[in-house]
Amino acid sequence: MMILWLAVALPAQAFDIQRWTSPDGAKVLLVERHDNPIVDIDITFDAGSRRDAPDKIGVADMANGLLDTGTAQDDEEALRVKISDLAVTISSYGELERGGVRIRSLSRADTLNAAVAIANQMLVSPRYDDKVLQREKSRAIAGLRQNLTQPGFLADRALDTLNYPQHPYGYGARESEASLAAISRADLQRFHAAHYAANNAVIAIVGDLTRAQAQQLAERLLQGLPESAAPLAAVPPVALNKNSRNQRIAHPASQAHIMLGLPVITRDDPDYYALLTGNYILGGGGFDSRLMKVLRDQKGYTYGASSSLSPLQQAGPLTIGFATKKASAQAALADARQVVADFVAQGPTEAELAQAKANIVGGFPLRFDSNAKLIGYLSVMGFYNLPDDFLDAYPAKIEALTTAQIRAAWQRRLNPAQLNTVVVGGNGGE
């Protein structure tokens, strides 16, 4: 029954991805969906916070985030009115590796064309109004002060620093009131000029329009941007420590917050599927995971424990986290380390793998059952040059895994002795 259901849900080439390069060098990906008169667009650039200069941390997030707060033509209020009158969504975003603008609009020509014109202005001539910048800097500083009182934030930030002490992936953890206060309008303009060029763009489109319409739309979105910017430096590989790094942070919270992790997985990782499926069994599968069963069900240390894997262009982190009573922190940390060590040494059981496959494969179609969900995957596929059959092949890759393959992959890629550890509060014993 499961095989038959999957055959219906994910036929061969379920996604007809059309991919081309625009005349000005942008990569464009299109999935036509004509069931509803809606178009979703994601225009992304290699402009994430990893592109900050070491002495200008926070500039990328601010430059990306303020794209939608005014253009050369419209100040912030006028821009909001225009977007509201069209009943569309146009917003900017900044992440670790990417930054850009997203659009959701009706496909009717007058609405879509107007939305594209607004987005084009955001991309080509952001206003970067100094009053808006000062307001957002104050907001960011206030948010940082608040976050620095939270044990979970402190643990996450400290683990990023241990995982990426010199690497650009760790810049976000070094953000400070001083670095935020030092950001100037000129910094934003320089960052924008260095990263927002047509040949640095990836445009993902899902919805009710044809290839010909999408080609015209893509060209209008980037019209006015320079065709190319100076080549960006390659993102350096992540250096892995031979031994673990450990940090304990005093905190008055009633519970100890514990995090473990290290850089592991890339987007094009040959062990991608084995690592992700193994992570589901270790700590990504909620109440079914080993960490939850041991730390919560057997030991009663915590209400919940989990792990996650974050694939990036260079090695993204495996992260394990939970909170427990301060008095239990040291014992819980030791047991968590033992769960990881046992999993790496022994791998999953056949029953664990069968359960993981049923959940991952069975739930896979729900990850992109709407245009709004699919656009995110399409943008990632374009940015990381993933193959057109990435989504179609995903379930089969998971189904084909064996317990031996997962064990071998985890043994190749993860030495439990190298796990970095942070304990905020408690008596972690480090």
Side-chain angles (χ1 to χ4, degrees), residues 314-396:
Q314 297 297 340
L318 166 72
T319 304
I320 297 168
F322 59 95
T324 187
K325 292 187 295 185
K326 288 184 175 181
S328 305
Q330 189 167 350
L333 176 58
D335 282 337
R337 284 175 169 158
Q338 191 61 50
V339 170
V340 177
D342 289 346
F343 182 75
V344 171
Q346 302 162 9
T349 67
E350 294 294 340
E352 286 175 326
L353 180 55
Q355 195 278 336
K357 287 180 177 179
N359 190 287
I360 297 172
V361 176
F364 192 66
L366 300 179
R367 297 188 187 185
F368 37 80
D369 57 358
S370 68
N371 290 5
K373 293 180 183 177
L374 180 58
I375 190 69
Y377 280 95
L378 200 63
S379 181
V380 165
M381 290 171 62
F383 186 79
Y384 293 104
N385 293 314
L386 301 178
D388 286 349
D389 69 346
F390 175 74
L391 293 175
D392 290 327
Y394 196 106

Side-chain angles (χ1 to χ4, degrees), residues 163-214:
N163 286 342
Y164 304 103
Q166 305 297 328
H167 195 275
Y169 288 168
Y171 284 174
R174 291 160 56 183
E175 191 172 81
S176 66
E177 290 188 32
S179 68
L180 290 168
I183 296 172
S184 69
R185 183 169 185 264
D187 289 333
L188 305 188
Q189 291 171 326
R190 278 193 292 269
F191 185 89
H192 177 267
H195 297 87
Y196 278 75
N199 70 337
N200 192 27
V202 176
I203 303 175
I205 307 168
V206 177
D208 182 28
L209 75 175
T210 64
R211 164 77 176 256
Q213 291 171 322

